[in-house]
Amino acid sequence: MLNINKHSSNDTKIQIETKDLSLYYGQDKVIKNISFNIYERMVTALIGPSGCGKSSYLRCLNRMNDFIQEARTEGEITINGSNIYDKATDVIELRRKIGMVFQKPNPFPMSIYENVAYAPRLFGVKDREKLDEIVKSSLEGAALWDEVYGKLKTPGTGLSGGQQQRLCIARAIATEPDILLMDEPTSALDPLSTLRIEELIRELKKKFTVVIVTHNMQQAARISDYTAFFLLGDLVEYNVTNKMFTSPDDRRTEDYITGRFG
């Protein structure tokens, strides 16, 4: 088993502890007794071939797998000291504190303003001045304000692909989450839009803990502080990204990173 504590340091705080986590879809065990720590205000990349458990693990963090009838978990995920699978967990509040951005930009069929204001309004923010402030700060946080401030009433679906994804990021951070989950957020974007999102992620980690699933090895190397390599539901290796990409401990990691398989 991997030593989940060996990569910690005095200047990093553990925010997410995963202990002996397994995930089943029916009889199929898609995550197999994995344990590791994710650090606050760092970017952690999850890499591995398709179907290896990366996105399934990501959905464990905000309990999105609860929507899958045959899904069940064993083990524990602790966020900020609380086991999120405890029966007393307020799942709605959990998801408010964990924003999520998906593979394909999916703005709501409403105005740019309403896309960002939707979740704060859902959680009880009614004051228009406060909503205006949240919309502006969220769009600024997603590096989109300067491009859209004159057309907030126009449909979010009318933006370019890259702008739509940044709108989705603005929507995700509008509830002031602690953690931002990203499931291949640039896979549907052109290279220039991808670069903008990567630059944005570097800025976002100043305020949020970012966990990103990516198939792009260069992207993982560029933007992440830590990398976890998944294979067939196992966590093969977890380390500081620079160490992982220059001198991995496991031959399978090296083979995957260098393109020998996957």
PDB file of all heavy atoms in Angstrom, residues 166-199:
ATOM      1  N   ARG A 166     -15.107  28.871 -19.221  1.00  0.00           N
ATOM      2  CA  ARG A 166     -14.774  29.822 -18.153  1.00  0.00           C
ATOM      3  C   ARG A 166     -16.035  30.313 -17.447  1.00  0.00           C
ATOM      4  O   ARG A 166     -16.010  30.580 -16.245  1.00  0.00           O
ATOM      5  CB  ARG A 166     -13.946  30.978 -18.714  1.00  0.00           C
ATOM      6  CG  ARG A 166     -12.475  30.609 -18.899  1.00  0.00           C
ATOM      7  CD  ARG A 166     -11.630  31.758 -19.384  1.00  0.00           C
ATOM      8  NE  ARG A 166     -11.828  32.008 -20.808  1.00  0.00           N
ATOM      9  CZ  ARG A 166     -11.836  33.197 -21.370  1.00  0.00           C
ATOM     10  NH1 ARG A 166     -11.695  34.285 -20.629  1.00  0.00           N
ATOM     11  NH2 ARG A 166     -11.999  33.322 -22.674  1.00  0.00           N
ATOM     12  N   LEU A 167     -17.140  30.405 -18.180  1.00  0.00           N
ATOM     13  CA  LEU A 167     -18.418  30.731 -17.541  1.00  0.00           C
ATOM     14  C   LEU A 167     -18.811  29.626 -16.563  1.00  0.00           C
ATOM     15  O   LEU A 167     -19.302  29.903 -15.459  1.00  0.00           O
ATOM     16  CB  LEU A 167     -19.505  30.929 -18.603  1.00  0.00           C
ATOM     17  CG  LEU A 167     -20.922  31.213 -18.078  1.00  0.00           C
ATOM     18  CD1 LEU A 167     -20.962  32.497 -17.250  1.00  0.00           C
ATOM     19  CD2 LEU A 167     -21.917  31.296 -19.247  1.00  0.00           C
ATOM     20  N   CYS A 168     -18.597  28.393 -16.956  1.00  0.00           N
ATOM     21  CA  CYS A 168     -18.897  27.268 -16.065  1.00  0.00           C
ATOM     22  C   CYS A 168     -17.999  27.299 -14.825  1.00  0.00           C
ATOM     23  O   CYS A 168     -18.433  26.931 -13.727  1.00  0.00           O
ATOM     24  CB  CYS A 168     -18.741  25.941 -16.815  1.00  0.00           C
ATOM     25  SG  CYS A 168     -19.979  25.692 -18.106  1.00  0.00           S
ATOM     26  N   ILE A 169     -16.760  27.731 -14.994  1.00  0.00           N
ATOM     27  CA  ILE A 169     -15.869  27.889 -13.840  1.00  0.00           C
ATOM     28  C   ILE A 169     -16.390  29.000 -12.938  1.00  0.00           C
ATOM     29  O   ILE A 169     -16.429  28.856 -11.709  1.00  0.00           O
ATOM     30  CB  ILE A 169     -14.420  28.162 -14.303  1.00  0.00           C
ATOM     31  CG1 ILE A 169     -13.846  26.905 -14.987  1.00  0.00           C
ATOM     32  CG2 ILE A 169     -13.541  28.577 -13.122  1.00  0.00           C
ATOM     33  CD1 ILE A 169     -12.510  27.128 -15.675  1.00  0.00           C
ATOM     34  N   ALA A 170     -16.812  30.127 -13.538  1.00  0.00           N
ATOM     35  CA  ALA A 170     -17.395  31.219 -12.753  1.00  0.00           C
ATOM     36  C   ALA A 170     -18.613  30.726 -11.980  1.00  0.00           C
ATOM     37  O   ALA A 170     -18.804  31.065 -10.799  1.00  0.00           O
ATOM     38  CB  ALA A 170     -17.768  32.385 -13.671  1.00  0.00           C
ATOM     39  N   ARG A 171     -19.439  29.937 -12.631  1.00  0.00           N
ATOM     40  CA  ARG A 171     -20.626  29.379 -11.978  1.00  0.00           C
ATOM     41  C   ARG A 171     -20.238  28.482 -10.803  1.00  0.00           C
ATOM     42  O   ARG A 171     -20.868  28.502  -9.744  1.00  0.00           O
ATOM     43  CB  ARG A 171     -21.436  28.590 -13.013  1.00  0.00           C
ATOM     44  CG  ARG A 171     -22.798  28.118 -12.549  1.00  0.00           C
ATOM     45  CD  ARG A 171     -23.520  27.423 -13.690  1.00  0.00           C
ATOM     46  NE  ARG A 171     -22.889  26.157 -14.063  1.00  0.00           N
ATOM     47  CZ  ARG A 171     -23.120  25.504 -15.191  1.00  0.00           C
ATOM     48  NH1 ARG A 171     -23.950  26.020 -16.097  1.00  0.00           N
ATOM     49  NH2 ARG A 171     -22.530  24.365 -15.444  1.00  0.00           N
ATOM     50  N   ALA A 172     -19.161  27.711 -10.991  1.00  0.00           N
ATOM     51  CA  ALA A 172     -18.720  26.775  -9.953  1.00  0.00           C
ATOM     52  C   ALA A 172     -18.143  27.485  -8.736  1.00  0.00           C
ATOM     53  O   ALA A 172     -18.264  26.989  -7.614  1.00  0.00           O
ATOM     54  CB  ALA A 172     -17.691  25.806 -10.531  1.00  0.00           C
ATOM     55  N   ILE A 173     -17.508  28.638  -8.944  1.00  0.00           N
ATOM     56  CA  ILE A 173     -16.881  29.333  -7.809  1.00  0.00           C
ATOM     57  C   ILE A 173     -17.797  30.381  -7.179  1.00  0.00           C
ATOM     58  O   ILE A 173     -17.437  30.987  -6.176  1.00  0.00           O
ATOM     59  CB  ILE A 173     -15.533  29.971  -8.207  1.00  0.00           C
ATOM     60  CG1 ILE A 173     -15.709  31.093  -9.234  1.00  0.00           C
ATOM     61  CG2 ILE A 173     -14.569  28.911  -8.730  1.00  0.00           C
ATOM     62  CD1 ILE A 173     -14.402  31.800  -9.612  1.00  0.00           C
ATOM     63  N   ALA A 174     -18.996  30.553  -7.736  1.00  0.00           N
ATOM     64  CA  ALA A 174     -19.912  31.583  -7.239  1.00  0.00           C
ATOM     65  C   ALA A 174     -20.421  31.291  -5.831  1.00  0.00           C
ATOM     66  O   ALA A 174     -20.848  32.205  -5.120  1.00  0.00           O
ATOM     67  CB  ALA A 174     -21.097  31.740  -8.195  1.00  0.00           C
ATOM     68  N   THR A 175     -20.390  30.030  -5.407  1.00  0.00           N
ATOM     69  CA  THR A 175     -20.828  29.676  -4.047  1.00  0.00           C
ATOM     70  C   THR A 175     -19.656  29.676  -3.067  1.00  0.00           C
ATOM     71  O   THR A 175     -19.809  29.217  -1.929  1.00  0.00           O
ATOM     72  CB  THR A 175     -21.496  28.290  -4.037  1.00  0.00           C
ATOM     73  OG1 THR A 175     -20.564  27.317  -4.535  1.00  0.00           O
ATOM     74  CG2 THR A 175     -22.750  28.276  -4.890  1.00  0.00           C
ATOM     75  N   GLU A 176     -18.508  30.183  -3.502  1.00  0.00           N
ATOM     76  CA  GLU A 176     -17.303  30.253  -2.677  1.00  0.00           C
ATOM     77  C   GLU A 176     -16.933  28.884  -2.110  1.00  0.00           C
ATOM     78  O   GLU A 176     -16.838  28.692  -0.887  1.00  0.00           O
ATOM     79  CB  GLU A 176     -17.470  31.274  -1.548  1.00  0.00           C
ATOM     80  CG  GLU A 176     -17.713  32.687  -2.064  1.00  0.00           C
ATOM     81  CD  GLU A 176     -17.809  33.705  -0.941  1.00  0.00           C
ATOM     82  OE1 GLU A 176     -18.108  33.307   0.205  1.00  0.00           O
ATOM     83  OE2 GLU A 176     -17.570  34.892  -1.212  1.00  0.00           O
ATOM     84  N   PRO A 177     -16.706  27.908  -2.974  1.00  0.00           N
ATOM     85  CA  PRO A 177     -16.354  26.576  -2.491  1.00  0.00           C
ATOM     86  C   PRO A 177     -14.929  26.536  -1.925  1.00  0.00           C
ATOM     87  O   PRO A 177     -14.143  27.472  -2.124  1.00  0.00           O
ATOM     88  CB  PRO A 177     -16.461  25.719  -3.764  1.00  0.00           C
ATOM     89  CG  PRO A 177     -16.107  26.672  -4.869  1.00  0.00           C
ATOM     90  CD  PRO A 177     -16.692  27.990  -4.451  1.00  0.00           C
ATOM     91  N   ASP A 178     -14.623  25.450  -1.236  1.00  0.00           N
ATOM     92  CA  ASP A 178     -13.252  25.221  -0.770  1.00  0.00           C
ATOM     93  C   ASP A 178     -12.447  24.480  -1.839  1.00  0.00           C
ATOM     94  O   ASP A 178     -11.232  24.636  -1.941  1.00  0.00           O
ATOM     95  CB  ASP A 178     -13.252  24.372   0.507  1.00  0.00           C
ATOM     96  CG  ASP A 178     -13.921  25.071   1.669  1.00  0.00           C
ATOM     97  OD1 ASP A 178     -13.808  26.312   1.761  1.00  0.00           O
ATOM     98  OD2 ASP A 178     -14.569  24.385   2.481  1.00  0.00           O
ATOM     99  N   ILE A 179     -13.161  23.634  -2.595  1.00  0.00           N
ATOM    100  CA  ILE A 179     -12.518  22.697  -3.517  1.00  0.00           C
ATOM    101  C   ILE A 179     -13.173  22.822  -4.883  1.00  0.00           C
ATOM    102  O   ILE A 179     -14.391  22.985  -4.983  1.00  0.00           O
ATOM    103  CB  ILE A 179     -12.668  21.244  -2.991  1.00  0.00           C
ATOM    104  CG1 ILE A 179     -11.940  21.094  -1.631  1.00  0.00           C
ATOM    105  CG2 ILE A 179     -12.122  20.231  -3.993  1.00  0.00           C
ATOM    106  CD1 ILE A 179     -12.371  19.868  -0.850  1.00  0.00           C
ATOM    107  N   LEU A 180     -12.362  22.742  -5.930  1.00  0.00           N
ATOM    108  CA  LEU A 180     -12.861  22.796  -7.300  1.00  0.00           C
ATOM    109  C   LEU A 180     -12.445  21.525  -8.021  1.00  0.00           C
ATOM    110  O   LEU A 180     -11.257  21.224  -8.147  1.00  0.00           O
ATOM    111  CB  LEU A 180     -12.292  24.029  -8.006  1.00  0.00           C
ATOM    112  CG  LEU A 180     -12.901  24.430  -9.352  1.00  0.00           C
ATOM    113  CD1 LEU A 180     -14.404  24.683  -9.224  1.00  0.00           C
ATOM    114  CD2 LEU A 180     -12.202  25.664  -9.889  1.00  0.00           C
ATOM    115  N   LEU A 181     -13.439  20.755  -8.468  1.00  0.00           N
ATOM    116  CA  LEU A 181     -13.192  19.522  -9.205  1.00  0.00           C
ATOM    117  C   LEU A 181     -13.324  19.807 -10.699  1.00  0.00           C
ATOM    118  O   LEU A 181     -14.276  20.467 -11.117  1.00  0.00           O
ATOM    119  CB  LEU A 181     -14.193  18.435  -8.806  1.00  0.00           C
ATOM    120  CG  LEU A 181     -14.356  18.161  -7.307  1.00  0.00           C
ATOM    121  CD1 LEU A 181     -15.400  17.063  -7.080  1.00  0.00           C
ATOM    122  CD2 LEU A 181     -13.031  17.782  -6.670  1.00  0.00           C
ATOM    123  N   MET A 182     -12.392  19.280 -11.501  1.00  0.00           N
ATOM    124  CA  MET A 182     -12.420  19.500 -12.947  1.00  0.00           C
ATOM    125  C   MET A 182     -12.209  18.164 -13.656  1.00  0.00           C
ATOM    126  O   MET A 182     -11.181  17.518 -13.476  1.00  0.00           O
ATOM    127  CB  MET A 182     -11.330  20.490 -13.363  1.00  0.00           C
ATOM    128  CG  MET A 182     -11.510  21.874 -12.788  1.00  0.00           C
ATOM    129  SD  MET A 182     -10.236  23.019 -13.404  1.00  0.00           S
ATOM    130  CE  MET A 182     -11.075  24.581 -13.204  1.00  0.00           C
ATOM    131  N   ASP A 183     -13.197  17.774 -14.435  1.00  0.00           N
ATOM    132  CA  ASP A 183     -13.135  16.488 -15.139  1.00  0.00           C
ATOM    133  C   ASP A 183     -12.804  16.734 -16.610  1.00  0.00           C
ATOM    134  O   ASP A 183     -13.688  17.033 -17.407  1.00  0.00           O
ATOM    135  CB  ASP A 183     -14.467  15.755 -14.995  1.00  0.00           C
ATOM    136  CG  ASP A 183     -14.359  14.284 -15.391  1.00  0.00           C
ATOM    137  OD1 ASP A 183     -13.280  13.864 -15.856  1.00  0.00           O
ATOM    138  OD2 ASP A 183     -15.356  13.556 -15.225  1.00  0.00           O
ATOM    139  N   GLU A 184     -11.524  16.665 -16.945  1.00  0.00           N
ATOM    140  CA  GLU A 184     -11.031  16.924 -18.309  1.00  0.00           C
ATOM    141  C   GLU A 184     -11.600  18.235 -18.871  1.00  0.00           C
ATOM    142  O   GLU A 184     -12.240  18.242 -19.927  1.00  0.00           O
ATOM    143  CB  GLU A 184     -11.381  15.760 -19.226  1.00  0.00           C
ATOM    144  CG  GLU A 184     -10.701  14.456 -18.850  1.00  0.00           C
ATOM    145  CD  GLU A 184     -10.884  13.394 -19.908  1.00  0.00           C
ATOM    146  OE1 GLU A 184     -10.333  13.563 -21.012  1.00  0.00           O
ATOM    147  OE2 GLU A 184     -11.600  12.412 -19.633  1.00  0.00           O
ATOM    148  N   PRO A 185     -11.375  19.342 -18.202  1.00  0.00           N
ATOM    149  CA  PRO A 185     -12.059  20.588 -18.564  1.00  0.00           C
ATOM    150  C   PRO A 185     -11.612  21.207 -19.879  1.00  0.00           C
ATOM    151  O   PRO A 185     -12.274  22.128 -20.368  1.00  0.00           O
ATOM    152  CB  PRO A 185     -11.708  21.524 -17.400  1.00  0.00           C
ATOM    153  CG  PRO A 185     -10.383  21.028 -16.927  1.00  0.00           C
ATOM    154  CD  PRO A 185     -10.468  19.529 -17.062  1.00  0.00           C
ATOM    155  N   THR A 186     -10.518  20.725 -20.476  1.00  0.00           N
ATOM    156  CA  THR A 186     -10.049  21.321 -21.731  1.00  0.00           C
ATOM    157  C   THR A 186     -10.102  20.344 -22.903  1.00  0.00           C
ATOM    158  O   THR A 186      -9.686  20.699 -24.007  1.00  0.00           O
ATOM    159  CB  THR A 186      -8.600  21.837 -21.590  1.00  0.00           C
ATOM    160  OG1 THR A 186      -7.731  20.725 -21.325  1.00  0.00           O
ATOM    161  CG2 THR A 186      -8.472  22.849 -20.465  1.00  0.00           C
ATOM    162  N   SER A 187     -10.633  19.146 -22.692  1.00  0.00           N
ATOM    163  CA  SER A 187     -10.570  18.139 -23.755  1.00  0.00           C
ATOM    164  C   SER A 187     -11.393  18.510 -24.978  1.00  0.00           C
ATOM    165  O   SER A 187     -11.126  18.032 -26.082  1.00  0.00           O
ATOM    166  CB  SER A 187     -11.010  16.772 -23.225  1.00  0.00           C
ATOM    167  OG  SER A 187     -12.361  16.810 -22.830  1.00  0.00           O
ATOM    168  N   ALA A 188     -12.403  19.385 -24.798  1.00  0.00           N
ATOM    169  CA  ALA A 188     -13.249  19.793 -25.932  1.00  0.00           C
ATOM    170  C   ALA A 188     -12.845  21.146 -26.504  1.00  0.00           C
ATOM    171  O   ALA A 188     -13.548  21.693 -27.348  1.00  0.00           O
ATOM    172  CB  ALA A 188     -14.714  19.821 -25.491  1.00  0.00           C
ATOM    173  N   LEU A 189     -11.703  21.683 -26.061  1.00  0.00           N
ATOM    174  CA  LEU A 189     -11.320  23.045 -26.430  1.00  0.00           C
ATOM    175  C   LEU A 189     -10.121  23.065 -27.377  1.00  0.00           C
ATOM    176  O   LEU A 189      -9.322  22.128 -27.415  1.00  0.00           O
ATOM    177  CB  LEU A 189     -10.981  23.850 -25.167  1.00  0.00           C
ATOM    178  CG  LEU A 189     -12.078  23.947 -24.102  1.00  0.00           C
ATOM    179  CD1 LEU A 189     -11.581  24.779 -22.931  1.00  0.00           C
ATOM    180  CD2 LEU A 189     -13.364  24.520 -24.676  1.00  0.00           C
ATOM    181  N   ASP A 190      -9.987  24.171 -28.105  1.00  0.00           N
ATOM    182  CA  ASP A 190      -8.842  24.358 -28.994  1.00  0.00           C
ATOM    183  C   ASP A 190      -7.605  24.704 -28.157  1.00  0.00           C
ATOM    184  O   ASP A 190      -7.714  25.036 -26.971  1.00  0.00           O
ATOM    185  CB  ASP A 190      -9.137  25.480 -30.001  1.00  0.00           C
ATOM    186  CG  ASP A 190      -9.367  26.814 -29.312  1.00  0.00           C
ATOM    187  OD1 ASP A 190      -8.381  27.495 -28.981  1.00  0.00           O
ATOM    188  OD2 ASP A 190     -10.542  27.179 -29.083  1.00  0.00           O
ATOM    189  N   PRO A 191      -6.393  24.644 -28.757  1.00  0.00           N
ATOM    190  CA  PRO A 191      -5.156  24.868 -27.984  1.00  0.00           C
ATOM    191  C   PRO A 191      -5.091  26.225 -27.281  1.00  0.00           C
ATOM    192  O   PRO A 191      -4.622  26.301 -26.139  1.00  0.00           O
ATOM    193  CB  PRO A 191      -4.055  24.741 -29.042  1.00  0.00           C
ATOM    194  CG  PRO A 191      -4.633  23.816 -30.072  1.00  0.00           C
ATOM    195  CD  PRO A 191      -6.090  24.156 -30.120  1.00  0.00           C
ATOM    196  N   LEU A 192      -5.570  27.281 -27.926  1.00  0.00           N
ATOM    197  CA  LEU A 192      -5.509  28.607 -27.309  1.00  0.00           C
ATOM    198  C   LEU A 192      -6.431  28.687 -26.097  1.00  0.00           C
ATOM    199  O   LEU A 192      -6.053  29.212 -25.034  1.00  0.00           O
ATOM    200  CB  LEU A 192      -5.869  29.689 -28.327  1.00  0.00           C
ATOM    201  CG  LEU A 192      -5.697  31.139 -27.858  1.00  0.00           C
ATOM    202  CD1 LEU A 192      -4.257  31.404 -27.426  1.00  0.00           C
ATOM    203  CD2 LEU A 192      -6.108  32.112 -28.961  1.00  0.00           C
ATOM    204  N   SER A 193      -7.642  28.151 -26.243  1.00  0.00           N
ATOM    205  CA  SER A 193      -8.583  28.135 -25.121  1.00  0.00           C
ATOM    206  C   SER A 193      -8.054  27.255 -23.991  1.00  0.00           C
ATOM    207  O   SER A 193      -8.223  27.574 -22.806  1.00  0.00           O
ATOM    208  CB  SER A 193      -9.952  27.622 -25.574  1.00  0.00           C
ATOM    209  OG  SER A 193     -10.535  28.498 -26.524  1.00  0.00           O
ATOM    210  N   THR A 194      -7.408  26.154 -24.355  1.00  0.00           N
ATOM    211  CA  THR A 194      -6.795  25.274 -23.357  1.00  0.00           C
ATOM    212  C   THR A 194      -5.741  26.020 -22.556  1.00  0.00           C
ATOM    213  O   THR A 194      -5.691  25.930 -21.321  1.00  0.00           O
ATOM    214  CB  THR A 194      -6.166  24.042 -24.040  1.00  0.00           C
ATOM    215  OG1 THR A 194      -7.217  23.257 -24.633  1.00  0.00           O
ATOM    216  CG2 THR A 194      -5.396  23.187 -23.049  1.00  0.00           C
ATOM    217  N   LEU A 195      -4.918  26.795 -23.245  1.00  0.00           N
ATOM    218  CA  LEU A 195      -3.875  27.584 -22.570  1.00  0.00           C
ATOM    219  C   LEU A 195      -4.490  28.573 -21.590  1.00  0.00           C
ATOM    220  O   LEU A 195      -3.994  28.746 -20.470  1.00  0.00           O
ATOM    221  CB  LEU A 195      -3.016  28.303 -23.610  1.00  0.00           C
ATOM    222  CG  LEU A 195      -1.849  29.138 -23.066  1.00  0.00           C
ATOM    223  CD1 LEU A 195      -0.856  28.250 -22.322  1.00  0.00           C
ATOM    224  CD2 LEU A 195      -1.147  29.865 -24.218  1.00  0.00           C
ATOM    225  N   ARG A 196      -5.588  29.216 -21.985  1.00  0.00           N
ATOM    226  CA  ARG A 196      -6.256  30.178 -21.105  1.00  0.00           C
ATOM    227  C   ARG A 196      -6.768  29.495 -19.835  1.00  0.00           C
ATOM    228  O   ARG A 196      -6.652  30.038 -18.734  1.00  0.00           O
ATOM    229  CB  ARG A 196      -7.429  30.854 -21.832  1.00  0.00           C
ATOM    230  CG  ARG A 196      -7.056  31.786 -22.962  1.00  0.00           C
ATOM    231  CD  ARG A 196      -6.361  33.046 -22.483  1.00  0.00           C
ATOM    232  NE  ARG A 196      -7.161  33.831 -21.548  1.00  0.00           N
ATOM    233  CZ  ARG A 196      -8.079  34.722 -21.901  1.00  0.00           C
ATOM    234  NH1 ARG A 196      -8.352  34.937 -23.182  1.00  0.00           N
ATOM    235  NH2 ARG A 196      -8.739  35.408 -20.986  1.00  0.00           N
ATOM    236  N   ILE A 197      -7.347  28.315 -20.007  1.00  0.00           N
ATOM    237  CA  ILE A 197      -7.862  27.579 -18.847  1.00  0.00           C
ATOM    238  C   ILE A 197      -6.712  27.162 -17.933  1.00  0.00           C
ATOM    239  O   ILE A 197      -6.806  27.254 -16.698  1.00  0.00           O
ATOM    240  CB  ILE A 197      -8.679  26.343 -19.278  1.00  0.00           C
ATOM    241  CG1 ILE A 197      -9.910  26.751 -20.103  1.00  0.00           C
ATOM    242  CG2 ILE A 197      -9.078  25.505 -18.062  1.00  0.00           C
ATOM    243  CD1 ILE A 197     -10.999  27.462 -19.330  1.00  0.00           C
ATOM    244  N   GLU A 198      -5.601  26.705 -18.520  1.00  0.00           N
ATOM    245  CA  GLU A 198      -4.447  26.302 -17.706  1.00  0.00           C
ATOM    246  C   GLU A 198      -3.894  27.489 -16.915  1.00  0.00           C
ATOM    247  O   GLU A 198      -3.545  27.349 -15.731  1.00  0.00           O
ATOM    248  CB  GLU A 198      -3.365  25.687 -18.585  1.00  0.00           C
ATOM    249  CG  GLU A 198      -3.744  24.321 -19.140  1.00  0.00           C
ATOM    250  CD  GLU A 198      -2.632  23.693 -19.968  1.00  0.00           C
ATOM    251  OE1 GLU A 198      -1.530  24.281 -20.051  1.00  0.00           O
ATOM    252  OE2 GLU A 198      -2.857  22.614 -20.532  1.00  0.00           O
ATOM    253  N   GLU A 199      -3.807  28.643 -17.560  1.00  0.00           N
ATOM    254  CA  GLU A 199      -3.354  29.848 -16.849  1.00  0.00           C
ATOM    255  C   GLU A 199      -4.316  30.183 -15.713  1.00  0.00           C
ATOM    256  O   GLU A 199      -3.901  30.587 -14.619  1.00  0.00           O
ATOM    257  CB  GLU A 199      -3.255  31.024 -17.824  1.00  0.00           C
ATOM    258  CG  GLU A 199      -2.125  30.893 -18.841  1.00  0.00           C
ATOM    259  CD  GLU A 199      -2.185  31.948 -19.919  1.00  0.00           C
ATOM    260  OE1 GLU A 199      -3.244  32.630 -20.036  1.00  0.00           O
ATOM    261  OE2 GLU A 199      -1.198  32.110 -20.658  1.00  0.00           O
TER     262      GLU A 199
END
